[in-house]
Amino acid sequence: DGGITQSPKYLFRKEGQNVTLSCEQNLNHDAMYWYRQDPGQGLRLIYYSQIVNDFQKGDIAEGYSVSREKKESFPLTVTSAQKNPTAFYLCASSLLPGQGFYSNQPQHFGDGTRLSIL
Amino acid sequence: GNSVTQMEGPVTLSEEAFLTINCTYTATGYPSLFWYVQYPGEGLQLLLKATKADDKGSNKGFEATYRKETTSFHLEKGSVQVSDSAVYFCALRTLQGAQKLVFGQGTRLTINP
């Protein structure tokens, strides 16, 4: 079955440590996204990518980094510069918005990674 | 800029009650509108969508109509079940600029038997 796989489901970070969250999709989607969700709040966009080897900052990119070396994969690194990393992180993918049938395609989400501080 | 405002939760209803969750938006251009649902500990699932004015999205007994004149996309269901307990997010996406999804803050719904 096609879908988006995020791993691990739970992750713990020590002080001064970088951690990487995995996101893989087999939907043949061009666009991929990372969101952060805090309790009682909506989703905020961290980074997104519409094509391999290219990505753009979202609304809250500080303290995060990404790479897009393969179409299927969009890992997110939470660096030590991110002072408040505890949150639920969601990865999503979609076909590129465009004309006709592909206009405004919905995003498909993974099951998320919950990151906590030790 | 683009934004989405949802009615504040939490919302608690009894089984078989009528549900309305309000959603209004501000956007440049002509956005597509979405409702997503998040069950505990899971990611978001697309519930329904509408891509132009007067479109009605529907799925699993839920409906929402794209009202351009009132910039609204309220979610409704005639008879809720305990299994509908979740957090519901309204979102918009435009074809301009970065074409990002913009989410409301979410509304937590609890259905009691």
Side-chain angles (χ1 to χ4, degrees):
Chain A
D1 286 340
I4 301 175
T5 302
Q6 288 188 243
S7 61
K9 193 170 179 67
Y10 298 96
L11 187 59
F12 298 91
R13 197 191 87 168
K14 295 180 181 178
E15 200 71 35
Q17 184 182 44
N18 293 352
V19 291
T20 297
L21 285 60
S22 170
C23 178
E24 303 278 332
Q25 54 97 1
N26 61 2
L27 299 167
N28 200 32
H29 287 168
D30 287 298
M32 296 188 74
Y33 310 81
W34 273 105
Y35 294 91
R36 170 181 170 136
Q37 185 180 21
D38 293 284
Q41 299 187 31
L43 279 68
R44 293 182 290 170
L45 183 65
I46 304 172
Y47 269 98
Y48 63 102
S49 168
Q50 296 183 310
I51 194 171
V52 173
N53 292 323
D54 187 46
F55 46 83
Q56 288 79 41
K57 293 181 179 180
D59 301 316
I60 55 164
E62 186 175 350
Y64 299 98
S65 66
V66 293
S67 62
R68 187 88 187 274
E69 296 177 1
K70 298 186 300 182
K71 186 176 182 178
E72 302 80 17
S73 179
F74 191 41
L76 172 74
T77 297
V78 184
T79 74
S80 57
Q82 173 49 248
K83 297 306 178 189
N84 184 24
T86 298
F88 190 48
Y89 291 87
L90 287 160
C91 179
S93 71
S94 73
L95 292 169
L96 280 176
Q99 300 301 319
F101 177 79
Y102 293 107
S103 66
N104 285 301
Q105 289 295 307
Q107 292 180 12
H108 299 258
F109 285 80
D111 284 338
T113 293
R114 189 166 299 281
L115 176 63
S116 303
I117 299 301
L118 282 178
Chain B
N2 300 329
S3 66
V4 175
T5 302
Q6 289 181 234
M7 71 185 279
E8 287 194 26
V11 174
T12 303
L13 296 172
S14 298
E15 206 165 20
E16 299 184 4
F18 184 87
L19 168 71
T20 300
I21 300 178
N22 290 338
C23 171
T24 57
Y25 67 89
T26 302
T28 54
Y30 301 95
S32 286
L33 302 173
F34 305 88
W35 276 102
Y36 283 86
V37 58
Q38 184 180 35
Y39 298 102
E42 298 184 10
L44 274 66
Q45 300 175 26
L46 178 67
L47 183 59
L48 53 85
K49 70 173 184 177
T51 58
K52 61 183 187 297
D54 299 325
D55 266 2
K56 178 185 283 189
S58 61
N59 186 26
K60 299 181 181 180
F62 290 90
E63 292 183 340
T65 301
Y66 189 142
R67 301 284 188 201
K68 189 168 170 57
E69 63 276 12
T70 54
T71 62
S72 65
F73 192 54
H74 304 322
L75 182 69
E76 296 182 336
K77 186 174 185 182
S79 176
V80 291
Q81 306 300 314
V82 172
S83 57
D84 294 326
S85 299
V87 180
Y88 292 81
F89 291 93
C90 184
L92 69 82
R93 189 181 200 185
T94 68
L95 289 177
Q96 289 75 36
Q99 303 163 351
K100 299 178 292 184
L101 266 179
V102 176
F103 287 89
Q105 76 273 30
T107 301
R108 180 174 298 279
L109 174 67
T110 301
I111 307 300
N112 294 320

